[in-house]
PDB file of all heavy atoms in Angstrom:
ATOM      1  N   ASP T  22      17.071   2.100   9.965  1.00  0.00           N
ATOM      2  CA  ASP T  22      15.753   2.483  10.519  1.00  0.00           C
ATOM      3  C   ASP T  22      14.625   2.592   9.468  1.00  0.00           C
ATOM      4  O   ASP T  22      13.422   2.303   9.846  1.00  0.00           O
ATOM      5  CB  ASP T  22      15.913   3.931  11.150  1.00  0.00           C
ATOM      6  CG  ASP T  22      16.479   4.912  10.260  1.00  0.00           C
ATOM      7  OD1 ASP T  22      17.559   4.669   9.613  1.00  0.00           O
ATOM      8  OD2 ASP T  22      15.942   6.114  10.074  1.00  0.00           O
ATOM      9  N   PHE T  23      14.960   2.731   8.256  1.00  0.00           N
ATOM     10  CA  PHE T  23      13.907   2.868   7.190  1.00  0.00           C
ATOM     11  C   PHE T  23      13.243   1.460   7.009  1.00  0.00           C
ATOM     12  O   PHE T  23      12.066   1.430   6.526  1.00  0.00           O
ATOM     13  CB  PHE T  23      14.561   3.308   5.765  1.00  0.00           C
ATOM     14  CG  PHE T  23      15.409   2.250   5.211  1.00  0.00           C
ATOM     15  CD1 PHE T  23      15.018   1.291   4.294  1.00  0.00           C
ATOM     16  CD2 PHE T  23      16.787   2.224   5.551  1.00  0.00           C
ATOM     17  CE1 PHE T  23      15.832   0.367   3.802  1.00  0.00           C
ATOM     18  CE2 PHE T  23      17.709   1.297   5.068  1.00  0.00           C
ATOM     19  CZ  PHE T  23      17.152   0.332   4.016  1.00  0.00           C
ATOM     20  N   ILE T  24      13.909   0.354   7.362  1.00  0.00           N
ATOM     21  CA  ILE T  24      13.312  -0.936   7.235  1.00  0.00           C
ATOM     22  C   ILE T  24      11.995  -0.995   8.070  1.00  0.00           C
ATOM     23  O   ILE T  24      10.974  -1.568   7.600  1.00  0.00           O
ATOM     24  CB  ILE T  24      14.319  -2.028   7.567  1.00  0.00           C
ATOM     25  CG1 ILE T  24      15.505  -2.130   6.639  1.00  0.00           C
ATOM     26  CG2 ILE T  24      13.633  -3.394   7.702  1.00  0.00           C
ATOM     27  CD1 ILE T  24      16.539  -3.152   6.998  1.00  0.00           C
ATOM     28  N   SER T  25      12.112  -0.606   9.370  1.00  0.00           N
ATOM     29  CA  SER T  25      10.924  -0.544  10.144  1.00  0.00           C
ATOM     30  C   SER T  25       9.729   0.271   9.643  1.00  0.00           C
ATOM     31  O   SER T  25       8.577  -0.086   9.813  1.00  0.00           O
ATOM     32  CB  SER T  25      11.216  -0.334  11.615  1.00  0.00           C
ATOM     33  OG  SER T  25      11.721   1.020  11.743  1.00  0.00           O
ATOM     34  N   ASP T  26      10.158   1.412   9.119  1.00  0.00           N
ATOM     35  CA  ASP T  26       9.073   2.180   8.493  1.00  0.00           C
ATOM     36  C   ASP T  26       8.460   1.539   7.286  1.00  0.00           C
ATOM     37  O   ASP T  26       7.146   1.506   7.197  1.00  0.00           O
ATOM     38  CB  ASP T  26       9.754   3.557   7.884  1.00  0.00           C
ATOM     39  CG  ASP T  26      10.286   4.448   9.112  1.00  0.00           C
ATOM     40  OD1 ASP T  26       9.770   4.222  10.217  1.00  0.00           O
ATOM     41  OD2 ASP T  26      11.224   5.175   8.850  1.00  0.00           O
ATOM     42  N   ASN T  27       9.282   0.860   6.404  1.00  0.00           N
ATOM     43  CA  ASN T  27       8.616   0.181   5.363  1.00  0.00           C
ATOM     44  C   ASN T  27       7.858  -1.041   5.801  1.00  0.00           C
ATOM     45  O   ASN T  27       6.713  -1.375   5.136  1.00  0.00           O
ATOM     46  CB  ASN T  27       9.754  -0.381   4.494  1.00  0.00           C
ATOM     47  CG  ASN T  27      10.465   0.799   3.625  1.00  0.00           C
ATOM     48  OD1 ASN T  27      10.026   1.941   3.655  1.00  0.00           O
ATOM     49  ND2 ASN T  27      11.549   0.492   2.883  1.00  0.00           N
ATOM     50  N   LYS T  28       8.268  -1.712   6.778  1.00  0.00           N
ATOM     51  CA  LYS T  28       7.457  -2.757   7.376  1.00  0.00           C
ATOM     52  C   LYS T  28       6.041  -2.345   7.912  1.00  0.00           C
ATOM     53  O   LYS T  28       5.093  -3.070   7.582  1.00  0.00           O
ATOM     54  CB  LYS T  28       8.199  -3.464   8.595  1.00  0.00           C
ATOM     55  CG  LYS T  28       9.261  -4.331   8.225  1.00  0.00           C
ATOM     56  CD  LYS T  28      10.161  -4.781   9.284  1.00  0.00           C
ATOM     57  CE  LYS T  28       9.379  -5.356  10.491  1.00  0.00           C
ATOM     58  NZ  LYS T  28      10.225  -5.926  11.591  1.00  0.00           N
ATOM     59  N   LYS T  29       5.960  -1.215   8.389  1.00  0.00           N
ATOM     60  CA  LYS T  29       4.670  -0.655   8.892  1.00  0.00           C
ATOM     61  C   LYS T  29       3.717  -0.492   7.643  1.00  0.00           C
ATOM     62  O   LYS T  29       2.564  -0.809   7.723  1.00  0.00           O
ATOM     63  CB  LYS T  29       4.846   0.594   9.641  1.00  0.00           C
ATOM     64  CG  LYS T  29       5.481   0.450  11.017  1.00  0.00           C
ATOM     65  CD  LYS T  29       5.766   1.790  11.654  1.00  0.00           C
ATOM     66  CE  LYS T  29       6.535   1.722  12.956  1.00  0.00           C
ATOM     67  NZ  LYS T  29       6.925   2.998  13.540  1.00  0.00           N
ATOM     68  N   ILE T  30       4.324   0.053   6.619  1.00  0.00           N
ATOM     69  CA  ILE T  30       3.454   0.164   5.270  1.00  0.00           C
ATOM     70  C   ILE T  30       3.039  -1.101   4.747  1.00  0.00           C
ATOM     71  O   ILE T  30       1.853  -1.284   4.387  1.00  0.00           O
ATOM     72  CB  ILE T  30       4.380   0.990   4.329  1.00  0.00           C
ATOM     73  CG1 ILE T  30       4.671   2.426   4.798  1.00  0.00           C
ATOM     74  CG2 ILE T  30       3.564   1.061   2.981  1.00  0.00           C
ATOM     75  CD1 ILE T  30       5.573   3.160   3.867  1.00  0.00           C
ATOM     76  N   PHE T  31       3.984  -2.091   4.717  1.00  0.00           N
ATOM     77  CA  PHE T  31       3.677  -3.439   4.240  1.00  0.00           C
ATOM     78  C   PHE T  31       2.532  -4.107   5.134  1.00  0.00           C
ATOM     79  O   PHE T  31       1.719  -4.728   4.581  1.00  0.00           O
ATOM     80  CB  PHE T  31       4.901  -4.261   4.174  1.00  0.00           C
ATOM     81  CG  PHE T  31       5.695  -4.151   2.915  1.00  0.00           C
ATOM     82  CD1 PHE T  31       7.041  -4.044   2.926  1.00  0.00           C
ATOM     83  CD2 PHE T  31       5.092  -4.061   1.655  1.00  0.00           C
ATOM     84  CE1 PHE T  31       7.785  -4.003   1.769  1.00  0.00           C
ATOM     85  CE2 PHE T  31       5.787  -3.912   0.392  1.00  0.00           C
ATOM     86  CZ  PHE T  31       7.177  -3.857   0.548  1.00  0.00           C
ATOM     87  N   GLN T  32       2.675  -3.909   6.452  1.00  0.00           N
ATOM     88  CA  GLN T  32       1.625  -4.558   7.320  1.00  0.00           C
ATOM     89  C   GLN T  32       0.325  -4.047   7.126  1.00  0.00           C
ATOM     90  O   GLN T  32      -0.732  -4.681   7.175  1.00  0.00           O
ATOM     91  CB  GLN T  32       2.152  -4.449   8.767  1.00  0.00           C
ATOM     92  CG  GLN T  32       1.200  -5.180   9.666  1.00  0.00           C
ATOM     93  CD  GLN T  32       1.730  -5.267  11.126  1.00  0.00           C
ATOM     94  OE1 GLN T  32       2.897  -5.087  11.365  1.00  0.00           O
ATOM     95  NE2 GLN T  32       0.855  -5.518  12.079  1.00  0.00           N
ATOM     96  N   THR T  33       0.203  -2.690   6.913  1.00  0.00           N
ATOM     97  CA  THR T  33      -1.018  -1.999   6.626  1.00  0.00           C
ATOM     98  C   THR T  33      -1.744  -2.638   5.298  1.00  0.00           C
ATOM     99  O   THR T  33      -2.849  -2.882   5.236  1.00  0.00           O
ATOM    100  CB  THR T  33      -0.916  -0.535   6.547  1.00  0.00           C
ATOM    101  OG1 THR T  33      -0.421  -0.033   7.796  1.00  0.00           O
ATOM    102  CG2 THR T  33      -2.257   0.208   6.176  1.00  0.00           C
ATOM    103  N   ARG T  34      -0.789  -2.783   4.348  1.00  0.00           N
ATOM    104  CA  ARG T  34      -1.273  -3.259   3.059  1.00  0.00           C
ATOM    105  C   ARG T  34      -1.742  -4.720   3.222  1.00  0.00           C
ATOM    106  O   ARG T  34      -2.820  -5.124   2.684  1.00  0.00           O
ATOM    107  CB  ARG T  34      -0.250  -3.161   1.974  1.00  0.00           C
ATOM    108  CG  ARG T  34       0.262  -1.804   1.631  1.00  0.00           C
ATOM    109  CD  ARG T  34       1.439  -1.754   0.731  1.00  0.00           C
ATOM    110  NE  ARG T  34       1.828  -0.482   0.333  1.00  0.00           N
ATOM    111  CZ  ARG T  34       2.881  -0.209  -0.377  1.00  0.00           C
ATOM    112  NH1 ARG T  34       3.677  -1.172  -0.772  1.00  0.00           N
ATOM    113  NH2 ARG T  34       3.157   1.044  -0.866  1.00  0.00           N
ATOM    114  N   ARG T  35      -0.924  -5.529   3.899  1.00  0.00           N
ATOM    115  CA  ARG T  35      -1.302  -6.869   4.136  1.00  0.00           C
ATOM    116  C   ARG T  35      -2.648  -6.987   4.752  1.00  0.00           C
ATOM    117  O   ARG T  35      -3.607  -7.807   4.307  1.00  0.00           O
ATOM    118  CB  ARG T  35      -0.260  -7.659   5.094  1.00  0.00           C
ATOM    119  CG  ARG T  35      -0.672  -9.032   5.419  1.00  0.00           C
ATOM    120  CD  ARG T  35       0.112  -9.566   6.579  1.00  0.00           C
ATOM    121  NE  ARG T  35      -0.408  -8.823   7.887  1.00  0.00           N
ATOM    122  CZ  ARG T  35      -0.016  -9.152   9.055  1.00  0.00           C
ATOM    123  NH1 ARG T  35       0.822 -10.138   9.288  1.00  0.00           N
ATOM    124  NH2 ARG T  35      -0.456  -8.502  10.115  1.00  0.00           N
ATOM    125  N   ASP T  36      -2.908  -6.187   5.838  1.00  0.00           N
ATOM    126  CA  ASP T  36      -4.155  -6.242   6.571  1.00  0.00           C
ATOM    127  C   ASP T  36      -5.329  -5.863   5.665  1.00  0.00           C
ATOM    128  O   ASP T  36      -6.427  -6.473   5.660  1.00  0.00           O
ATOM    129  CB  ASP T  36      -4.099  -5.447   7.846  1.00  0.00           C
ATOM    130  CG  ASP T  36      -3.107  -5.919   8.866  1.00  0.00           C
ATOM    131  OD1 ASP T  36      -2.691  -7.137   8.713  1.00  0.00           O
ATOM    132  OD2 ASP T  36      -2.776  -5.136   9.743  1.00  0.00           O
ATOM    133  N   LEU T  37      -5.009  -4.934   4.742  1.00  0.00           N
ATOM    134  CA  LEU T  37      -6.129  -4.391   3.880  1.00  0.00           C
ATOM    135  C   LEU T  37      -6.479  -5.519   2.893  1.00  0.00           C
ATOM    136  O   LEU T  37      -7.700  -5.871   2.757  1.00  0.00           O
ATOM    137  CB  LEU T  37      -5.611  -3.201   3.103  1.00  0.00           C
ATOM    138  CG  LEU T  37      -6.505  -2.753   1.873  1.00  0.00           C
ATOM    139  CD1 LEU T  37      -7.816  -2.185   2.371  1.00  0.00           C
ATOM    140  CD2 LEU T  37      -5.654  -1.810   1.005  1.00  0.00           C
ATOM    141  N   VAL T  38      -5.495  -6.169   2.304  1.00  0.00           N
ATOM    142  CA  VAL T  38      -5.786  -7.174   1.326  1.00  0.00           C
ATOM    143  C   VAL T  38      -6.371  -8.390   1.879  1.00  0.00           C
ATOM    144  O   VAL T  38      -7.379  -8.928   1.326  1.00  0.00           O
ATOM    145  CB  VAL T  38      -4.402  -7.596   0.577  1.00  0.00           C
ATOM    146  CG1 VAL T  38      -4.672  -8.825  -0.374  1.00  0.00           C
ATOM    147  CG2 VAL T  38      -3.883  -6.399  -0.262  1.00  0.00           C
ATOM    148  N   VAL T  39      -5.899  -8.820   3.047  1.00  0.00           N
ATOM    149  CA  VAL T  39      -6.485 -10.038   3.658  1.00  0.00           C
ATOM    150  C   VAL T  39      -7.885  -9.857   3.969  1.00  0.00           C
ATOM    151  O   VAL T  39      -8.780 -10.702   3.746  1.00  0.00           O
ATOM    152  CB  VAL T  39      -5.714 -10.426   4.939  1.00  0.00           C
ATOM    153  CG1 VAL T  39      -6.468 -11.514   5.799  1.00  0.00           C
ATOM    154  CG2 VAL T  39      -4.313 -11.012   4.570  1.00  0.00           C
ATOM    155  N   SER T  40      -8.193  -8.556   4.569  1.00  0.00           N
ATOM    156  CA  SER T  40      -9.600  -8.356   4.880  1.00  0.00           C
ATOM    157  C   SER T  40     -10.530  -8.364   3.656  1.00  0.00           C
ATOM    158  O   SER T  40     -11.608  -8.923   3.772  1.00  0.00           O
ATOM    159  CB  SER T  40      -9.708  -6.991   5.659  1.00  0.00           C
ATOM    160  OG  SER T  40     -11.074  -6.551   5.934  1.00  0.00           O
ATOM    161  N   MET T  41     -10.005  -7.712   2.717  1.00  0.00           N
ATOM    162  CA  MET T  41     -10.901  -7.591   1.468  1.00  0.00           C
ATOM    163  C   MET T  41     -11.118  -8.863   0.807  1.00  0.00           C
ATOM    164  O   MET T  41     -12.281  -9.130   0.233  1.00  0.00           O
ATOM    165  CB  MET T  41     -10.379  -6.473   0.509  1.00  0.00           C
ATOM    166  CG  MET T  41     -10.538  -5.035   1.063  1.00  0.00           C
ATOM    167  SD  MET T  41     -10.064  -3.796  -0.064  1.00  0.00           S
ATOM    168  CE  MET T  41     -11.559  -3.809  -1.207  1.00  0.00           C
ATOM    169  N   LEU T  42     -10.123  -9.797   0.773  1.00  0.00           N
ATOM    170  CA  LEU T  42     -10.158 -10.970   0.014  1.00  0.00           C
ATOM    171  C   LEU T  42     -11.141 -11.914   0.801  1.00  0.00           C
ATOM    172  O   LEU T  42     -11.839 -12.772   0.157  1.00  0.00           O
ATOM    173  CB  LEU T  42      -8.761 -11.590  -0.134  1.00  0.00           C
ATOM    174  CG  LEU T  42      -7.871 -10.888  -1.122  1.00  0.00           C
ATOM    175  CD1 LEU T  42      -6.563 -11.581  -1.155  1.00  0.00           C
ATOM    176  CD2 LEU T  42      -8.423 -10.834  -2.611  1.00  0.00           C
ATOM    177  N   ASN T  43     -11.042 -11.793   2.090  1.00  0.00           N
ATOM    178  CA  ASN T  43     -11.895 -12.665   2.850  1.00  0.00           C
ATOM    179  C   ASN T  43     -13.314 -12.282   2.810  1.00  0.00           C
ATOM    180  O   ASN T  43     -14.268 -13.001   3.250  1.00  0.00           O
ATOM    181  CB  ASN T  43     -11.403 -12.782   4.337  1.00  0.00           C
ATOM    182  CG  ASN T  43     -10.277 -13.710   4.543  1.00  0.00           C
ATOM    183  OD1 ASN T  43     -10.282 -14.889   3.838  1.00  0.00           O
ATOM    184  ND2 ASN T  43      -9.359 -13.454   5.387  1.00  0.00           N
ATOM    185  N   GLN T  44     -13.625 -11.046   2.339  1.00  0.00           N
ATOM    186  CA  GLN T  44     -14.967 -10.679   2.087  1.00  0.00           C
ATOM    187  C   GLN T  44     -15.523 -11.044   0.742  1.00  0.00           C
ATOM    188  O   GLN T  44     -16.712 -10.762   0.347  1.00  0.00           O
ATOM    189  CB  GLN T  44     -15.098  -9.130   2.219  1.00  0.00           C
ATOM    190  CG  GLN T  44     -14.832  -8.693   3.670  1.00  0.00           C
ATOM    191  CD  GLN T  44     -14.819  -7.114   3.682  1.00  0.00           C
ATOM    192  OE1 GLN T  44     -15.672  -6.473   3.250  1.00  0.00           O
ATOM    193  NE2 GLN T  44     -13.643  -6.609   4.285  1.00  0.00           N
ATOM    194  N   ALA T  45     -14.621 -11.500  -0.154  1.00  0.00           N
ATOM    195  CA  ALA T  45     -14.993 -12.053  -1.503  1.00  0.00           C
ATOM    196  C   ALA T  45     -15.602 -13.413  -1.483  1.00  0.00           C
ATOM    197  O   ALA T  45     -15.211 -14.355  -0.771  1.00  0.00           O
ATOM    198  CB  ALA T  45     -13.762 -12.028  -2.397  1.00  0.00           C
ATOM    199  N   THR T  46     -16.662 -13.588  -2.201  1.00  0.00           N
ATOM    200  CA  THR T  46     -17.291 -14.816  -2.372  1.00  0.00           C
ATOM    201  C   THR T  46     -16.420 -15.950  -2.912  1.00  0.00           C
ATOM    202  O   THR T  46     -15.677 -15.700  -3.933  1.00  0.00           O
ATOM    203  CB  THR T  46     -18.497 -14.719  -3.472  1.00  0.00           C
ATOM    204  OG1 THR T  46     -19.368 -13.639  -3.014  1.00  0.00           O
ATOM    205  CG2 THR T  46     -19.249 -16.070  -3.473  1.00  0.00           C
ATOM    206  N   GLY T  47     -16.347 -17.105  -2.145  1.00  0.00           N
ATOM    207  CA  GLY T  47     -15.539 -18.171  -2.642  1.00  0.00           C
ATOM    208  C   GLY T  47     -14.126 -18.152  -2.320  1.00  0.00           C
ATOM    209  O   GLY T  47     -13.398 -19.132  -2.655  1.00  0.00           O
ATOM    210  N   LEU T  48     -13.561 -17.123  -1.640  1.00  0.00           N
ATOM    211  CA  LEU T  48     -12.166 -17.009  -1.372  1.00  0.00           C
ATOM    212  C   LEU T  48     -11.963 -17.209   0.182  1.00  0.00           C
ATOM    213  O   LEU T  48     -12.779 -16.732   0.933  1.00  0.00           O
ATOM    214  CB  LEU T  48     -11.580 -15.651  -1.875  1.00  0.00           C
ATOM    215  CG  LEU T  48     -11.621 -15.248  -3.263  1.00  0.00           C
ATOM    216  CD1 LEU T  48     -10.847 -13.999  -3.566  1.00  0.00           C
ATOM    217  CD2 LEU T  48     -11.145 -16.362  -4.167  1.00  0.00           C
ATOM    218  N   SER T  49     -10.747 -17.728   0.510  1.00  0.00           N
ATOM    219  CA  SER T  49     -10.345 -17.824   1.826  1.00  0.00           C
ATOM    220  C   SER T  49      -8.851 -17.408   1.890  1.00  0.00           C
ATOM    221  O   SER T  49      -8.006 -18.029   1.215  1.00  0.00           O
ATOM    222  CB  SER T  49     -10.567 -19.283   2.389  1.00  0.00           C
ATOM    223  OG  SER T  49     -10.005 -19.358   3.696  1.00  0.00           O
ATOM    224  N   CYS T  50      -8.477 -16.481   2.779  1.00  0.00           N
ATOM    225  CA  CYS T  50      -7.158 -15.925   2.768  1.00  0.00           C
ATOM    226  C   CYS T  50      -6.608 -15.913   4.250  1.00  0.00           C
ATOM    227  O   CYS T  50      -7.016 -15.100   5.003  1.00  0.00           O
ATOM    228  CB  CYS T  50      -7.104 -14.638   2.142  1.00  0.00           C
ATOM    229  SG  CYS T  50      -5.452 -13.895   1.970  1.00  0.00           S
ATOM    230  N   PRO T  51      -5.597 -16.795   4.459  1.00  0.00           N
ATOM    231  CA  PRO T  51      -4.920 -16.687   5.874  1.00  0.00           C
ATOM    232  C   PRO T  51      -4.012 -15.412   5.871  1.00  0.00           C
ATOM    233  O   PRO T  51      -3.721 -14.791   4.956  1.00  0.00           O
ATOM    234  CB  PRO T  51      -4.020 -17.956   5.859  1.00  0.00           C
ATOM    235  CG  PRO T  51      -3.835 -18.320   4.497  1.00  0.00           C
ATOM    236  CD  PRO T  51      -4.938 -17.812   3.633  1.00  0.00           C
ATOM    237  N   THR T  52      -3.780 -15.067   7.182  1.00  0.00           N
ATOM    238  CA  THR T  52      -2.903 -13.904   7.371  1.00  0.00           C
ATOM    239  C   THR T  52      -1.506 -14.312   7.589  1.00  0.00           C
ATOM    240  O   THR T  52      -1.136 -14.959   8.551  1.00  0.00           O
ATOM    241  CB  THR T  52      -3.421 -13.058   8.570  1.00  0.00           C
ATOM    242  OG1 THR T  52      -4.737 -12.676   8.529  1.00  0.00           O
ATOM    243  CG2 THR T  52      -2.485 -11.879   8.814  1.00  0.00           C
ATOM    244  N   PRO T  53      -0.550 -13.966   6.557  1.00  0.00           N
ATOM    245  CA  PRO T  53       0.849 -14.399   6.673  1.00  0.00           C
ATOM    246  C   PRO T  53       1.552 -13.536   7.693  1.00  0.00           C
ATOM    247  O   PRO T  53       1.231 -12.426   7.892  1.00  0.00           O
ATOM    248  CB  PRO T  53       1.333 -14.327   5.294  1.00  0.00           C
ATOM    249  CG  PRO T  53       0.421 -13.022   4.607  1.00  0.00           C
ATOM    250  CD  PRO T  53      -0.808 -13.215   5.374  1.00  0.00           C
TER     251      PRO T  53
END
């Protein structure tokens, strides 16, 4: 069960990073 809990944390981090990188000048980041 802890795997699904960790996945939720990772997904939140992924969404944060993708959003912030796509706001950076000159960068383009797909959502994996």
Side-chain angles (χ1 to χ4, degrees):
D22 51 315
F23 68 92
I24 294 177
S25 60
D26 294 338
N27 289 352
K28 279 170 56 174
K29 291 174 185 174
I30 296 170
F31 275 137
Q32 183 168 341
T33 298
R34 294 172 176 178
R35 179 201 66 175
D36 294 344
L37 168 70
V38 170
V39 169
S40 174
M41 292 189 72
L42 291 178
N43 279 324
Q44 295 172 52
T46 304
L48 300 185
S49 175
C50 185
T52 302

